């Protein structure tokens, strides 16, 4: 049975996998709000992918892609960027029972009005309020942060970065907490050697937190 991936689109997210919703959010350039290509790439590899609310009984992996107040981002209509306490508890129980959780944050995370810190804090992670710059590795656009991909992301627990040789984070914060570093800043960055993506286990499940959401659009 293929893994079932659920993109939450009930909490004012800045990204959607539905092309028609992306067009309504960003008429001039729908790709600025669209993860449709990412969803299709997953489907092409045999995954079941859909958008919805927190119907966790029908999912194996939950993706939360940058909830935001509409003052800062064009967002999926309806909903608010904060998860209720029962929703936080439901997500925690989902991961503990073996579910996967992917959380995409953003630069200057605290301003968007989301409570991803409350969610990720349950798993020992946090997206820091930061904007990284690295002139040495991308002088023409230092806020486009080329990541250092440590060898520790590859190993007997599974090659999380299979077929990935380079990653660029576009205007990113950093992630903190106990976990497996998938990507980090270089020593030359304004926040040196800091995680940009972390994977952590929790109960029977796994959580991956990214400090930037503009990675897969």
């Amino acid at each position: 049975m293929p893994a079932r991936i659920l993109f939450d689109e009930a909490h004012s997210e800045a990204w959607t996998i539905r092309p028609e919703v992306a067009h309504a959010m960003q008429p001039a350039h729908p790709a600025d709000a669209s993860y449709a290509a990412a969803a299709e790439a997953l489907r092409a590899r045999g995954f079941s992918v859909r958008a919805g609310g927190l119907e966790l009984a029908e999912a194996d992996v939950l993706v939360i892609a940058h909830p935001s107040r509409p003052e800062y981002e064009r967002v999926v209509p309806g909903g608010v960027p904060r998860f209720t306490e029962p929703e936080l508890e439901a997500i925690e129980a989902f991961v503990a029972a073996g579910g996967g959780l992917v959380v995409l944050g953003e630069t200057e995370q605290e301003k968007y009005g989301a409570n991803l810190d409350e969610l990720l804090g349950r798993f020992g992670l946090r997206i820091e309020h930061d904007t990284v710059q690295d002139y040495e590795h991308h002088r023409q656009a230092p806020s486009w942060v080329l990541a250092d991909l440590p060898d520790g992301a590859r190993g007997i627990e599974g090659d999380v970065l299979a077929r990935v040789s380079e990653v660029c984070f576009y205007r990113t914060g950093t992630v903190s907490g106990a976990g497996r570093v998938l990507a980090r800043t270089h020593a030359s960055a304004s926040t040196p050697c800091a995680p940009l993506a972390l994977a952590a286990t929790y109960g029977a499940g796994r959580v991956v937190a990214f400090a930037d959401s503009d990675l897969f659009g």
Side-chain angles (χ1 to χ4, degrees):
M1 180 177 177
R4 302 165 299 172
I5 301 176
L6 170 64
F7 279 76
D8 177 49
E9 294 194 10
H11 292 86
S12 190
E13 277 88 1
W15 297 94
T16 176
I17 63 171
R18 295 172 289 171
E20 70 281 6
V21 177
H23 188 272
M25 291 165 63
Q26 296 276 10
H29 196 250
D32 283 347
S34 178
Y35 267 14
E40 288 306 313
L42 289 167
R43 293 186 181 112
R45 289 160 175 78
F47 294 97
S48 168
V49 185
R50 68 182 184 86
L54 295 182
E55 298 90 11
L56 298 178
E58 303 171 16
D60 301 302
V61 178
L62 172 66
V63 180
I64 300 172
H66 182 27
S68 174
R69 296 188 335 208
E71 299 97 299
Y72 293 103
E73 300 277 20
R74 302 285 182 90
V75 297
V76 178
V80 295
R82 297 185 64 84
F83 293 85
T84 65
E85 185 63 26
E87 288 174 330
L88 295 173
E89 292 175 356
I91 296 171
E92 181 180 5
F94 167 75
V95 175
L101 173 64
V102 178
V103 177
L104 303 171
E106 196 46 79
T107 179
E108 299 180 346
Q109 176 61 46
E110 293 176 9
K111 75 182 184 183
Y112 296 102
N115 59 343
L116 294 185
D117 54 341
E118 294 181 42
L119 173 60
L120 289 172
R122 293 169 179 256
F123 311 109
L125 303 176
R126 177 179 174 83
I127 298 172
E128 300 294 342
H129 187 87
D130 195 358
T131 299
V132 179
Q133 294 191 336
D134 187 347
Y135 283 85
E136 182 173 323
H137 289 88
H138 209 311
R139 179 166 295 277
Q140 299 304 314
S143 60
W144 291 25
V145 178
L146 291 174
D148 174 24
L149 305 181
D151 292 337
R154 308 177 187 276
I156 60 174
E157 294 183 11
D159 190 349
V160 182
L161 298 179
R163 302 179 68 181
V164 176
S165 60
E166 188 176 63
V167 177
C168 183
F169 287 69
Y170 170 69
R171 290 188 61 80
T172 182
T174 58
V175 187
S176 62
R180 186 178 179 186
V181 178
L182 305 181
R184 63 190 173 202
T185 62
H186 287 274
S188 55
S190 57
T191 306
C193 303
L196 297 167
L198 279 175
T201 56
Y202 185 81
R206 175 177 286 180
V207 180
V208 181
F210 291 85
D212 174 30
S213 69
D214 200 354
L215 286 168
F216 309 107

